[in-house]
Amino acid sequence: MEKATTRKAPARFPALGALAAWALLCAPASIARAQDLGAEEGTPAPGTTAPEKIAPAPKPAAPIEPAEPAAPAEPSAAPAAGPTDEAAAPAAAPEPAPVAPVRGGSLDPLSGVRLGPSGRHQIAHVIARRMERGAGKHELAVTMPVQVNGKFTEHLGNGLEYRFHFREPIAIGAGGTYFWRGVESGFTEDELINKAKQQPYAADAVLLQWEGHAGIELAPIYGKFTLVDAKVMQFGMYLGTGIGAAQTRVQLRPEQASTTTGGGHPRTYGDTGLRPTGYFDIGMRLFMGQRFALNLEVRDFIYSDQVTQINGCNAQDLKNLDAAGANCRVKDFLDKSADGAIAQDLVKEPSSSVLHNVSFIGSLSVLF
Amino acid sequence: MSSPRFRAALLLAPAVLLLAPAARAADEGFMQRPTTVQHRRHALSSTNELAAFFDFSVKNKLTEHFGGTLVYSRNFGEQLALELLAGGGAGRLTGLVGSIRDQAKLSSATPQADLEDAGALVATGQLGLRWAPVYGKLNLSAEIPVHFNFYLAAGAGAAYVQYNSILACKADLAPGASKCPASPGFQSSNAPTMAFNVGGGFRFFLTESLSARAEVRDVMFPDKFNTGVILKSAASNPGTAAPSPGITHIPLIFLGFAWVIH
């Protein structure tokens, strides 16, 4: 019986034996790769404990490829095992033909690239593998732009932005913003109008009521950081550009509170029409897990405006609103006489300008 | 059926079967957080640092500024530093002021207030703290590693400010005149005052000792302007200093290099 048992055991579990052998071979290889992944990461800063270099993984009993010894020239280019890292090649892979050993490794006779001890190519990735990936994902963001370069104007709004990341560093998208606060600045109202009795040219103080755009985004920079040495966060930096259209208007009168001598009135505006826009932006996307991201960006909305009509009324119409042409929307003036007079003053000297509305935009986005 | 070798294989197989995918998963990056930046390559702790900046203002209404600043820092740790800032340069009025003065009704006899925030920063010296809670690493073109940190800074000290009047002439206007003559021009005075700054910036480590730094600081000082000025006779009737003139903000962008002395 004993003899029979010893004969039958290998025959009964050939699959299990093969699986165990594969697993035994695979596990240390994978562990070695995982250790390599953290080799650079675990390296202390100079002057603290040890020099930053990659300790070669101990060669295990199984015939796996160890990590390449530390590269003395560029310690930062540490091998954070990537998809092309052949350090984790299958253990059963045949060894290539030996190449001439050189200092720090050996060189590929064809490409001149330094090879690992076994003669295979090794690719050292600067940054360890991305945890949060955007490729193939849709991104929907709620934005909040705040104008930061307002000399004559102030803008604050909310918007929606959609992007599709069809490649890791490339996305296309579209979005729009409604500026629920688009007014002449305190400097314009309090200093120029009230004290100096002057106002900027109409084209220099054109306000955005809403805008829509479509564009492309490139994200060539990827990195990560620690926040107070505790939390590791990953981020990408991106550049974007696009075109769109915006509804514009000019402020006619500032808000006036009610007094004992007269009633107040809200800010009054005059429509200056739909205008083409363009934008450039630069931003940083902080990944918060796989689904959420915080975007911080600076965007320059560029738009040209030539103010020759207000509420569809040209200078001739504004001279006498009672006899204005059909295109002149007299009813859109809150106070025909007061606002009409200011509008007439604004279009009396037709002005045009290329405006830059530089906004800081914070947004929270969900990726799906 | 129950030989020692078989039992050992039976016990070992599940263990390695569990271990292999776990290790594979770790290798794939799904279980192990990358920790590249948990260990700093560039240490600042207990070092002295000297930085030189070119700085310029970014939100110019009535005044604009550009100049240079030196910052000496003592880094107590990796995150906290004490810094001594000394800067100076050309603070001047913008072209908008010329336009305002050209069109202003300077012959008015009605008392009125002068414009706010017309103080030009001439020089400042401040002592402050810098806190760098963020240390990171980014890759340029997928292969060039750049280590950086992000810091916040705040300080207080003194400033030397040129307070300009936008509308008040140094001399009373001649009868019938509506413009202020170029000489003696408009009123202005220089005075020292307290000053503050808050800001933040990035440091990009270039070598062990050399860093490139870019930061934004809002330099603040008390404003000063007069109310009740009669413009046609501003020399005789300069009005009185505004009781609550507020704070003038000068947002400056600093670009420069820092040398860390280990």
Side-chain angles (χ1 to χ4, degrees):
Chain A
M1 282 299 290
E2 193 176 334
K3 282 178 76 176
T5 304
T6 52
R7 276 200 309 270
K8 284 180 182 175
R12 186 180 293 178
F13 301 100
L16 181 61
L19 199 59
W22 171 82
L24 280 169
L25 293 175
C26 184
S30 298
I31 292 168
R33 286 179 61 192
Q35 286 170 343
D36 290 345
L37 183 69
E40 178 213 15
E41 284 70 84
T43 306
T48 53
T49 53
E52 183 174 353
K53 63 179 184 180
I54 305 147
K59 196 173 184 75
I64 64 166
E65 184 69 30
E68 186 177 352
E74 178 50 65
S76 66
T84 55
D85 189 347
E86 295 197 10
E95 291 289 325
V99 294
V102 297
R103 186 180 175 188
S106 52
L107 293 180
D108 184 335
L110 295 177
S111 65
V113 174
R114 190 162 55 84
L115 306 174
S118 67
R120 294 194 179 98
H121 285 279
Q122 289 218 328
I123 296 175
H125 289 257
V126 172
I127 302 290
R129 179 183 305 236
R130 296 181 182 195
M131 297 292 292
E132 290 82 7
R133 291 172 179 274
K137 287 187 176 177
H138 304 267
E139 181 181 8
L140 195 60
V142 178
T143 63
M144 186 167 184
V146 182
Q147 186 180 6
V148 294
N149 71 330
K151 182 188 289 185
F152 300 128
T153 61
E154 294 174 6
H155 287 86
L156 183 61
N158 282 107
L160 273 178
E161 196 92 25
Y162 164 79
R163 294 185 189 94
F164 175 61
H165 300 262
F166 61 91
R167 292 281 188 277
E168 195 65 47
I170 304 175
I172 55 173
T177 308
Y178 177 74
F179 294 95
W180 43 268
R181 180 174 172 82
V183 299
E184 289 192 341
S185 65
F187 172 70
T188 304
E189 290 185 356
D190 301 335
E191 303 298 300
L192 293 183
I193 295 176
N194 288 343
K195 291 181 180 175
K197 313 299 181 196
Q198 298 173 29
Q199 64 181 17
Y201 283 111
D204 286 336
V206 167
L207 305 169
L208 296 175
Q209 195 171 1
W210 55 261
E211 64 82 26
H213 61 266
I216 187 168
E217 174 191 300
L218 301 175
I221 296 175
Y222 186 81
K224 52 193 164 184
F225 61 81
T226 57
L227 189 61
V228 269
D229 283 341
K231 173 81 175 167
V232 177
M233 296 188 75
Q234 304 204 20
F235 68 92
M237 294 194 72
Y238 56 87
L239 303 166
T241 184
I243 56 173
Q247 178 65 45
T248 62
R249 61 184 181 178
V250 290
Q251 182 176 309
L252 299 176
R253 284 184 298 162
E255 184 179 12
Q256 188 172 324
S258 299
T259 62
T260 52
T261 56
H265 58 80
R267 282 190 175 87
T268 58
Y269 300 95
D271 176 21
T272 52
L274 196 66
R275 303 289 175 181
T277 63
Y279 73 85
F280 293 96
D281 63 20
I282 180 170
M284 183 164 72
R285 178 172 294 117
L286 300 173
F287 293 100
M288 299 185 294
Q290 298 285 344
R291 284 190 172 276
F292 299 99
L294 176 68
N295 302 313
L296 305 171
E297 70 178 53
V298 175
R299 178 174 295 179
D300 184 4
F301 285 109
I302 304 165
Y303 53 105
S304 169
D305 212 339
Q306 185 177 13
V307 180
T308 56
Q309 293 186 348
I310 293 177
N311 288 340
C313 310
N314 58 26
Q316 191 64 32
D317 295 329
L318 291 165
K319 279 182 183 173
N320 185 3
L321 284 173
D322 292 328
N327 293 331
C328 179
R329 305 188 302 275
V330 180
K331 285 190 291 185
D332 289 355
F333 291 105
L334 187 67
D335 183 322
K336 194 169 69 173
S337 58
D339 290 334
I342 293 172
Q344 184 185 356
D345 193 41
L346 290 175
V347 299
K348 189 170 59 182
E349 294 179 48
S351 56
S352 64
S353 183
V354 175
L355 300 180
H356 292 263
N357 181 330
V358 180
S359 295
F360 172 79
I361 302 178
S363 66
L364 193 63
S365 63
V366 57
L367 295 109
F368 54 96
Chain B
M1 287 290 289
S2 59
S3 72
R5 287 173 64 188
F6 172 69
R7 285 199 299 269
L10 209 59
L11 289 172
L12 195 59
V16 294
L17 283 171
L18 288 172
L19 187 60
R24 175 72 66 183
D27 173 42
E28 294 290 351
F30 292 116
M31 294 181 63
Q32 176 178 312
R33 298 293 302 185
T35 54
T36 302
V37 292
Q38 286 182 352
H39 299 280
R40 298 160 188 259
R41 185 199 298 173
H42 300 278
L44 293 174
S45 185
S46 302
T47 58
N48 297 305
E49 181 181 350
L50 190 61
F53 293 97
F54 167 70
D55 52 76
F56 57 95
S57 56
V58 289
K59 199 171 181 179
N60 304 320
K61 290 175 182 171
L62 297 178
T63 61
E64 59 189 0
H65 302 78
F66 59 90
T69 299
L70 288 174
V71 180
Y72 164 78
S73 307
R74 173 64 187 173
N75 296 298
F76 296 119
E78 294 300 334
Q79 295 183 9
L80 197 63
L82 180 72
E83 59 180 23
L84 183 62
L85 176 152
R92 64 185 185 190
L93 297 170
T94 61
L96 178 64
V97 171
S99 176
I100 292 170
R101 284 173 171 171
D102 283 346
Q103 298 176 49
K105 292 179 180 173
L106 300 182
S107 56
S108 169
T110 307
Q112 71 171 85
D114 211 332
L115 272 62
E116 300 176 12
D117 294 330
L121 184 65
V122 177
T124 184
Q126 300 188 34
L127 187 67
L129 289 174
R130 189 178 67 230
W131 179 47
V134 171
Y135 182 95
K137 180 180 177 182
L138 54 84
N139 62 340
L140 295 172
S141 306
E143 295 299 334
I144 305 168
V146 177
H147 286 243
F148 69 92
N149 69 13
F150 171 76
Y151 52 87
L152 301 170
Y160 194 66
V161 177
Q162 182 185 54
Y163 289 104
N164 299 290
S165 169
I166 302 302
L167 301 174
C169 271
K170 278 183 180 172
D172 294 346
L173 295 189
S178 60
K179 300 288 182 189
C180 182
S183 179
F186 289 85
Q187 296 177 11
S188 68
S189 62
N190 296 335
T193 182
M194 68 178 80
F196 314 90
N197 80 86
V198 295
F202 285 93
R203 172 202 300 274
F204 298 96
F205 294 95
L206 303 179
T207 69
E208 268 311 298
S209 301
L210 189 65
S211 306
R213 283 171 56 177
E215 55 189 58
V216 178
R217 288 180 193 253
D218 185 5
V219 178
M220 297 166 278
F221 53 83
D223 194 9
K224 190 189 290 185
F225 65 94
N226 283 2
T227 58
V229 185
I230 297 176
L231 296 183
K232 67 178 293 187
S233 56
S236 310
N237 302 285
T240 56
S244 303
I247 300 289
T248 295
H249 295 259
I250 310 284
L252 295 170
I253 287 184
F254 289 71
L255 300 173
F257 293 94
W259 184 259
V260 178
I261 305 156
H262 289 281

